[in-house]
Amino acid sequence: MKQYQLFLIDLDGTIYRGKDTIESGVNFVKRLQEKQLDYIFLTNNTTRTPQMVVDKLAGHGVKTDIQHIYTPCMATSSYILSEKKTAKVYIIGQIGLWNELLSHPEISFDDQNPDYVVVGMDTDLTYHKIRTAVRHIRNGAKFIGTNSDLNLPSGDELLPGNGSVCKMIEVASGQKPLFIGKPSNIIVDKLLERSPYSKQDCLIVGDNYLTDIHAGFNSGVDSLLTLTGVNKREDISGKRQPSYVVDNLDEFEL
Ligand SMILES: [Mg+2]
């Protein structure tokens, strides 16, 4: 088997399932750490700050630090700053998104005449916020969606995700968003821009065929599907196959 240098690891369904720990996922990270192989937790979650992700992982027995966390929030600021030296943004989102975007002095919040409308998961979403976003997009602001997840699994429930909210804004504004998070190649490309590794060195690891594995397809990175989360083996029969499929990550030799 090919020896990978950098593992891009999903969280929900891979390391934990809500409050439950997925032991094979936690062991996988420990095995990487023992072998001194590099890894980044690549999540589509935009509500948490990197430190909040680190703290959540600690609760599941994973010791790591913020250098090993990469979110669509970080890829979004990187994307915006690759387009503009300074940018005014209208933000719909939670602390993870606000903190990251406004940590850059070149990016400022503007609800009058923004260059970008950035939409991430916001459980305090209001009609007013949607209306403001639509007005700015209709006036020419670029529409960015942090991630396109239509649903978020929560216990037995499938909650409306950011992709569903973006659909509403898309329909009302007549503009499609540019999505940054998985399955977009943008999040992987932005991460690799600041890393010493090339795509051939990387393996993207996750439980979701449509987000994790497609992020691999879209960015040209090999992929490993673990069947510990949303997908079962039959879900991918007849479809383009990941590089590897395992029942759980204990099966994957390093
Ligand atoms: Mg997942």
Side-chain angles (χ1 to χ4, degrees), residues 110-167:
D110 187 310
D111 65 358
Q112 298 302 315
N113 188 26
D115 306 302
Y116 296 89
V117 169
V118 178
V119 179
M121 185 68 187
D122 182 353
T123 54
D124 289 321
L125 189 67
T126 61
Y127 183 83
H128 176 79
K129 292 182 191 178
I130 298 272
R131 173 184 170 178
T132 306
V134 168
R135 186 172 73 239
H136 293 320
I137 294 164
R138 283 197 169 275
N139 285 338
K142 185 163 181 173
F143 179 17
I144 292 181
T146 55
N147 62 296
S148 58
D149 303 53
L150 294 175
N151 290 109
L152 295 176
S154 172
D156 298 336
E157 212 179 339
L158 279 179
L159 308 176
N162 189 53
S164 296
V165 174
C166 286
K167 277 278 178 218

Side-chain angles (χ1 to χ4, degrees), residues 8 182-186 188-189 199 202-205 208-225 231 235-236 238-245:
L8 309 177
K182 298 176 286 189
S184 170
N185 62 299
I186 296 175
V188 177
D189 290 346
K199 288 183 176 181
C202 297
L203 183 67
I204 191 160
V205 182
N208 189 320
Y209 180 74
L210 289 178
T211 56
D212 303 311
I213 305 307
H214 274 261
F217 295 157
N218 290 333
S219 58
V221 168
D222 284 358
S223 58
L224 163 59
L225 179 69
N231 285 129
D235 297 337
I236 61 163
K239 299 190 175 141
R240 182 174 171 187
Q241 293 296 297
S243 314
Y244 313 93
V245 183

